[in-house]
Structures are given as structure tokens and as C-alpha cells.
Amino acid sequence: MKHITRREFIKFGVTSGSLLALGSGKDLITKTTGSKETVKKVLILGLDGMDPHLLSIWMKEGILPHFQRLASEGDFRALRTSIPPQSPVAWSNFITGMNPGGHAIFDFIHRDPESYIPLFSASRTEEASKTISIGNLVLPLSGGKVNLLRRGRAFWQILEDYDIPATVFKIPSNYPPASTRQKTISGMGTPDILGTYGIFNYYTTEAKEINEDIGGGRIHQVYIIGNRVEAKLPGPTNTFKKDRPESSIDFTVFIDPVHPVAKIAIQDHEIILKEGEWSGWKRIHFSMIPTQSVSGICMFYLKQIHPEFKLYVSPINIDPAQPALPLSTPKDYAQELEEIFGPFFTKGLPADTSALNNDVLDDGEFLEQDDFILEERNKIFDYELDRFDSGLLFYYVSSTDQRQHMFWRLIDKEHPSYDPALASRYGNTIRDIYVQMDNLLARAMQKVDKDTLIMVLSDHGFTPFRRGLNLNTWLKENGYHRLINNWKQGQESFFLNTDWSRTQAYAYGLNGLYINQKGRETEGIVKPGAEKEALVREIARKLEDFRDPQTGERVILRAYVARDVYQGPYVEQAPDIIVGYNRGYRSSWATPLGRIPKPLIEDNAEKWSGDHCMAPEVIPGILLTNQKIRIASPALYDLTPTILNVFGINKTKEMIGQSLFSG
Ligand SMILES: [Zn+2]
């Protein structure tokens, strides 16, 4: 969700309220873990974004021997992804065995048809409904709640009904973790301590670097006075105070006058770092009222001391030892892992792609951070693999996805941000993560016996993202979207300059297009029924015909009409059209939050250069199994009945797929 400005992040933060309003974490769990001894076992590696085309190339080269072995002994197929192929949507298909009509996750971003305001699709926080005010303090009387918005039962909840144990590590689209006695820990969708998808802090003396409002980060101007830097680390909003001030922690950096080394004094920590050194995890406490504080963990990176001072502080992750928001089921599973391994990344997508995209971290520094993430995951994986002797183990890796997003520019000479010097240095980054996944698979395969089904899957593949379509600009130029002031075009987000009384359609999120429908949208003008149907078909047809004026290529491969492709009780909540971009194209950075820039199509000159929010046909995921697959064209939602089938459980009537081994 890059390029959402800091203010927008806070305003539309995933928890959009207080961590403290939640009380000290609601007990989700009352029972103990599923305990039936199973003969059959299922081991699943979820490697986000692993691409079948790249995998095939490197398997042929012989650098992925374990993928090769699994493919030759079992099967390797392209895996049909979701419409649209966004991770929260795709993993929800896998979790529930349904498509978005059944699980109600259609995009990273949904919208409120009453206010035309964007909403994060994954979770919603309700603040404490009753409070008491004492002087300047506001105390919650009843705990608030954070709700998972994904609908439908997760496969591990169904396994639980049959007492089959499951451990599910960081599966996306499961924050807060769905109620279960199985061991689960939440992944993508889990906020940082501010309730956002991650905001770093960066302290610098270099004036030209100051831009307060970059997406995903805050830049602070600091001064060196007498070899000291005084600064503040911002924390969560203090909802115990009436004016809801931002909490913060003061800290001091003492700079060695001779050597490139500094000491950071923050609370009870004295952190000595050389230039170019990371601190490892540090636990900090934001004090709210004398009896309440919020605990978080963060890493410091001393990027530079001379000639300019540059200090990076990672987004403050929720402390797994004292989670301010629910991270796991049972509640103490996160604490169990923390006791064994120490603090670990809890933020949904842990790699700081915003810091890299904004040149706060360079390529090497970003990869150092991502290596920490992989090291942590490897340790926890080995631990879980060691004790896996029954039921199901699902294990998830995000680095495959994140590295492809950020480093595609260095394997694609046609990309606007291709850089030959960087390519010679970091051009193997994507290849290297595939090799690392081969090592992970090697360890998993050692554990596999004849009674274990192993599945290695990704939610989608990857393609270049070279050009971005301003979809709302396209709607405007084709007469479907009208502005109040044309001279103001491009200045506002959230359609603040839109004349709804003359607007027929608008686009929010990465692939969604909505009709301004009478009776649904507050200022809707298009009548449901025949009028809307005709408009939807007309726009879909025009989108599919549209060509990039610069290259002559089709920009949109498929414009899906929701009613044609979704089944289930939530189809009415879907965007009316789901836009499936052609290879190389995606929705622009301005589109997801309702901005309407003047250019129709723009080069994507960002480091975020690979993507997957295209038409599902161009971006299948991978599926490898140690058994022969018997169905023709497997899809993510086929894997759910497959899992149940292994344990002798019939799929539910809501599930739309079939077992891989049926037929
Ligand atoms: Zn991705």
C-alpha cells in the first residue's frame, strides 16, 4: 500500500483507532489444541508470488534440485489464481475453498458506498463503546474489538471439528486470527503498533531529504549539537487522553567525535552502533497513563554519521511477548515462540519496501533487513517442522513476493527503472530467493514420508509493472466520471473533486471499478437493472478494446463482470467490474485511493517494479505435490477440498473446487 501518504495512512489506518481501546487483548481461546493422532499428514509451503515461468527456467538450469525432484516424483503445475490476483484475495480462496463472492475479500481496498471513502478490506476496529472521563483522561469501560472481515470458515477450523491438529504460520488474510484452538499466528494484514501497515522513522541532518509526507514513513529533521542528537520516536495515539495526543519516547544519540560510531540512549537501552550497523530487536514502552503502557519492538540502523547524520528506525512491531492486539491462537502461541526465539517480526508484510522505494534504505540495506526476516522464519520453521508429527502444518514466506516486487527492475531491461550498474550487483536477488526456497523445501522433504502429502504453492506469479493506467482518468476521458473543477484535476484523493450527480463510474483499489448506483451509493445516479447492466457491459467492452497510445498494446486483457465470475452470498458487495491488466501494465499508483491525475498512462519509475495485480490468465501461481494431480487445471480453491479429503472429510457445500486427486 505504498504511496498512501502518512496522513492518509493514519486517517485510514487498519485499526483506525486505539490499540488501548481493545483492552489487554480478548481471550479468543477457551479450549486446548486439537489432539487426534493422524496417520496422514499434510505439509504445505506457501511461497508468496513464486512464478511458474521463473521456476521452470531455474529448474532447467539445475539450481533448484529439490523443486526438480518434487516435480519429477510428483507433479508441477501452474495454479489458477483468484480474480483479481491480489494476495489477500488469493489466500482467502485457498483458506475457504470459495471465491470472493463467498469470502467477501475483493481487493486490498474496498469502499463505503455511503461516504465514497476507501476502507482496508481485511479488518475493522471498533473502539470501546463506553468510556468514562476523569479530568483529562478517558478510560474505556468495555473493551473495543478488532474484527476479521473475511467470511467463510477456514480449513483449519473445519479440521478442528474433527479434532485434527493444525499449525498455520502467517497465512495472509487472517488478521485478527480466526477463532480456533489450532495454533495460528497472523501474517499479512497485521498492523504495526500505530495501527497502520507500517511506518518507519528516519532521522537526518540533511535538509534535502525532508519530506514529511512520504508513504509508509516519517522523516525527521535533526541537528547535531555538541556531538548529540535529541529526537522523539512517535508511538500510538493516546486515547486515554481527551485530546488524543500522539505518544512518543525521547531518545538521545551520542556521536563519537573521532570514530564512526554512536550510542543511542532510549529508555533502559544503550545501543552502540557503528556506521552501517543494525541494532537487532529492542523492546520499548509507550506510557499512556501511569498504569498503562504499550509495548513494541523495533530495530535501529545507523546508516551514516558523517558528513550527514542518518538514523533509520524500523516500523514498531507489536511485541509478541505482550501483544497489544491479538496475534495468535491460542493467545500464548506468540509468547511461546518469543520465549524460544526472542522478539520476531509481527507486522504483516515485514520487509520495509517503503524505505527502499523512498531511498531511505538502499538495495543492500533492504536485503540485510530481509535476511533478518528469513533467518527468523527459518528458525521457527525448523522448530515447527521438528515437532510436526500429526495433522497439518502450513508455513508461509513473504520474501519471495517482496523481493520480486522490488527487484524486477534489475532483471527487466525494458523497465523504466532498470539500472545496469545496480543490475550487475543485485541482478541475482530474485534468483537467490528461489535458491533459498529450494533449501527450505529440502528440509521439508526430509520430513516427508509415504503418508505425508506435501504441497508447495504460490498465490500468483509475477510480471513486470512498466506502465500504470490512471483508471479514473480513463473514466473521465470517456465521459463516465465528471469533476467539479476541471482545473483542480489531479490535486485531490478520495474523489473530493468529483461531481457525483453526473458521475456514472469510479475506481477504487487495485482492480475494482464501481458503478455509481442509485440506492446503493449515496449520490448514485445509475438505475439498477437494465440500465446498469448495459453500462457495465459497455464499459467492460471499451476497457478491453483500449490500447496504450504510446505502444499500441492492449492495456487491459480482461474486464470481468462480477456477476459472471463470482458465486456466493457477497457478490452484491463486489466491485461491478474487476479490471485484469495485460502483462507490463497495472493500475497506476494514484488509482487505488481515488486520485485523477491528468496523464492517462504513466511510466512506473519506482523501485516497486514487478507486480501481479493483472489478469489472472497472465499470472498463475505454482503448485508442486508429491502425488500425481488428476484434475485438468487446478485452482487455489481446489486445494481446500484436497486438504479435507486427505483426512477423510467431505468438502462443505459452499466450496466450489474439487480435490486434486479426484476424477
Ligand atoms: Zn505482492
Side-chain angles (χ1 to χ4, degrees):
M1 288 296 91
K2 63 173 290 296
H3 277 221
I4 300 174
T5 65
R6 180 173 71 82
R7 232 176 273 125
E8 288 163 356
F9 248 101
I10 289 166
K11 199 165 168 197
F12 296 97
V14 271
T15 66
S16 71
S18 128
L19 296 171
L20 290 162
L22 299 168
S24 53
K26 254 184 66 125
D27 262 11
L28 292 166
I29 302 311
T30 50
K31 296 177 277 184
T32 52
T33 311
S35 55
K36 193 162 152 188
E37 288 282 320
T38 60
V39 178
K40 300 274 185 188
K41 296 183 279 295
V42 177
L43 174 55
I44 306 170
L45 294 181
L47 309 179
D48 203 297
M50 199 171 242
D51 182 70
H53 180 63
L54 293 181
L55 188 67
S56 301
I57 292 173
W58 291 324
M59 273 164 59
K60 281 195 193 106
E61 270 182 32
I63 59 170
L64 305 173
H66 297 91
F67 280 103
Q68 186 64 55
R69 206 184 101 200
L70 188 55
S72 61
E73 290 174 4
D75 222 330
F76 168 31
R77 301 283 193 88
L79 182 64
R80 277 190 293 135
T81 180
S82 55
I83 304 173
Q86 299 184 31
S87 294
V89 185
W91 288 109
S92 295
N93 278 18
F94 169 65
I95 289 169
T96 63
M98 300 190 278
N99 68 27
H103 59 63
I105 303 292
F106 301 98
D107 198 294
F108 272 105
I109 291 173
H110 293 166
R111 59 65 174 111
D112 175 1
E114 281 178 27
S115 60
Y116 299 99
I117 287 284
L119 304 165
F120 281 116
S121 62
S123 62
R124 183 183 304 139
T125 299
E126 295 163 18
E127 289 199 27
S129 53
K130 293 199 176 93
T131 56
I132 183 168
S133 298
I134 308 165
N136 188 31
L137 300 178
V138 183
L139 300 176
L141 286 181
S142 58
K145 222 177 146 196
V146 55
N147 297 314
L148 174 67
L149 296 178
R150 174 174 54 69
R151 303 299 174 215
R153 297 192 79 207
F155 63 80
W156 57 91
Q157 290 177 308
I158 298 171
L159 295 180
E160 178 187 358
D161 292 345
Y162 296 83
D163 208 23
I164 293 163
T167 299
V168 178
F169 185 83
K170 298 228 171 188
I171 202 164
S173 274
N174 192 44
Y175 175 80
S179 177
T180 177
R181 61 193 157 121
Q182 309 279 26
K183 281 198 175 72
T184 72
I185 187 153
S186 63
M188 185 187 296
T190 309
D192 67 359
I193 202 173
L194 303 178
T196 74
Y197 283 146
I199 291 183
F200 65 81
N201 284 283
Y202 183 58
Y203 302 85
T204 177
T205 50
E206 193 168 34
K208 79 172 174 58
E209 293 200 334
I210 305 302
N211 170 7
E212 274 249 330
D213 241 6
I214 62 170
R218 280 172 82 164
I219 312 284
H220 306 263
Q221 168 92 65
V222 293
Y223 304 93
I224 302 175
I225 299 167
N227 290 322
R228 281 161 68 140
V229 172
E230 303 282 355
K232 273 183 197 304
L233 185 60
T237 305
N238 188 347
T239 50
F240 284 99
K241 299 259 174 77
K242 266 189 185 155
D243 52 351
R244 299 167 73 98
E246 182 179 84
S247 62
S248 66
I249 298 173
D250 293 330
F251 67 96
T252 307
V253 185
F254 300 91
I255 295 168
D256 188 293
V258 185
H259 302 104
V261 65
K263 181 174 82 178
I264 301 162
I266 182 163
Q267 294 186 331
D268 55 354
H269 303 287
E270 293 208 327
I271 308 159
I272 295 172
L273 294 178
K274 287 187 206 138
E275 211 172 65
E277 210 169 39
W278 292 81
S279 69
W281 286 117
K282 299 294 166 195
R283 179 169 283 121
I284 49 175
H285 303 278
F286 293 92
S287 164
M288 300 291 155
I289 52 173
T291 56
Q292 287 279 355
S293 72
V294 173
S295 177
I297 54 169
C298 60
M299 285 188 187
F300 296 81
Y301 173 67
L302 187 57
K303 187 178 168 83
Q304 189 176 302
I305 296 182
H306 302 292
E308 301 289 347
F309 176 83
K310 298 176 180 182
L311 175 71
Y312 162 88
V313 185
S314 73
I316 303 166
N317 283 226
I318 294 170
D319 182 358
Q322 298 159 274
L325 288 164
L327 291 178
S328 69
T329 63
K331 212 177 113 192
D332 59 9
Y333 178 44
Q335 286 153 334
E336 175 194 338
L337 294 178
E338 199 278 338
E339 267 170 36
I340 300 166
F341 300 104
F344 56 87
F345 285 94
T346 58
K347 180 171 89 75
L349 283 171
D352 199 342
T353 51
S354 296
L356 174 56
N357 216 40
N358 288 294
D359 299 318
V360 164
L361 295 179
D362 66 23
D363 296 288
E365 291 160 342
F366 172 84
L367 289 171
E368 277 177 1
Q369 187 190 50
D370 201 50
D371 282 341
F372 297 146
I373 297 164
L374 281 164
E375 275 166 39
E376 268 182 20
R377 297 252 161 139
N378 279 336
K379 280 191 224 156
I380 299 174
F381 179 61
D382 287 342
Y383 171 75
E384 289 300 352
L385 198 59
D386 262 359
R387 63 174 180 173
F388 171 54
D389 52 15
S390 192
L392 177 140
L393 172 62
F394 172 89
Y395 207 78
Y396 171 81
V397 177
S398 58
S399 296
T400 34
D401 175 80
Q402 303 281 277
R403 289 192 187 201
Q404 292 183 96
H405 276 302
M406 301 313 289
F407 289 90
W408 200 276
R409 66 199 147 98
L410 304 183
I411 59 168
D412 176 14
K413 288 190 176 148
E414 291 171 50
H415 200 280
S417 32
Y418 178 75
D419 177 326
L422 285 174
S424 68
R425 206 160 159 205
Y426 297 107
N428 280 336
T429 299
I430 294 177
R431 188 176 183 264
D432 291 347
I433 191 73
Y434 279 62
V435 172
Q436 287 205 48
M437 291 307 103
D438 194 69
N439 296 335
L440 192 80
L441 177 59
R443 305 211 295 284
M445 284 172 76
Q446 276 177 358
K447 189 78 188 175
V448 173
D449 56 29
K450 65 175 181 23
D451 294 319
T452 308
L453 169 65
I454 183 166
M455 294 202 281
V456 183
L457 70 117
S458 65
D459 52 338
H460 50 70
F462 254 84
T463 69
F465 165 25
R466 298 180 190 134
R467 308 249 301 150
L469 172 67
N470 287 313
L471 184 51
N472 287 303
T473 310
W474 184 92
L475 287 171
K476 177 184 172 286
E477 291 191 1
N478 284 274
Y480 300 113
H481 197 108
R482 309 275 181 167
L483 303 181
I484 300 166
N485 290 308
N486 277 318
W487 59 269
K488 263 188 164 180
Q489 182 176 357
Q491 295 174 21
E492 313 259 26
S493 295
F494 315 129
F495 300 117
L496 292 175
N497 186 29
T498 288
D499 179 354
W500 291 110
S501 70
R502 296 187 301 142
T503 286
Q504 292 175 296
Y506 61 104
Y508 254 138
L510 284 157
N511 298 90
L513 194 155
Y514 298 87
I515 300 299
N516 190 26
Q517 184 184 315
K518 209 176 183 115
R520 182 180 71 179
E521 271 79 358
T522 297
E523 296 177 66
I525 60 166
V526 179
K527 281 201 202 87
E531 184 185 330
K532 178 184 165 184
E533 184 68 18
L535 179 64
V536 164
R537 302 282 164 189
E538 176 187 307
I539 292 175
R541 197 178 60 245
K542 280 194 190 169
L543 284 171
E544 289 185 355
D545 286 344
F546 169 59
R547 286 176 186 269
D548 182 345
Q550 192 174 304
T551 64
E553 276 185 69
R554 277 179 65 194
V555 176
I556 290 158
L557 204 61
R558 296 287 305 274
Y560 298 93
V561 177
R563 289 204 295 110
D564 297 345
V565 292
Y566 292 153
Q567 295 86 41
Y570 302 103
V571 178
E572 291 304 312
Q573 295 176 18
D576 296 297
I577 296 173
I578 299 95
V579 180
Y581 292 92
N582 199 359
R583 192 178 158 80
Y585 292 90
R586 205 202 70 180
S587 88
S588 67
W589 293 111
T591 302
L593 290 184
R595 259 192 300 137
I596 312 175
K598 286 185 178 143
L600 188 54
I601 305 186
E602 295 174 279
D603 270 349
N604 172 34
E606 305 279 332
K607 289 182 183 163
W608 184 290
S609 48
D611 214 289
H612 45 80
C613 298
M614 286 79 182
E617 288 90 335
V618 298
I619 202 105
I622 60 157
L623 176 64
L624 293 96
T625 60
N626 59 344
Q627 291 181 35
K628 285 271 176 259
I629 295 167
R630 296 173 64 180
I631 62 172
S633 178
L636 277 161
Y637 49 63
D638 292 324
L639 306 184
T640 335
T642 305
I643 292 166
L644 298 183
N645 198 257
V646 169
F647 296 109
I649 303 167
N650 289 330
K651 68 169 191 168
T652 65
K653 65 177 190 316
E654 292 82 14
M655 291 184 179
I656 57 177
Q658 54 177 326
S659 169
L660 298 175
F661 311 116
S662 64

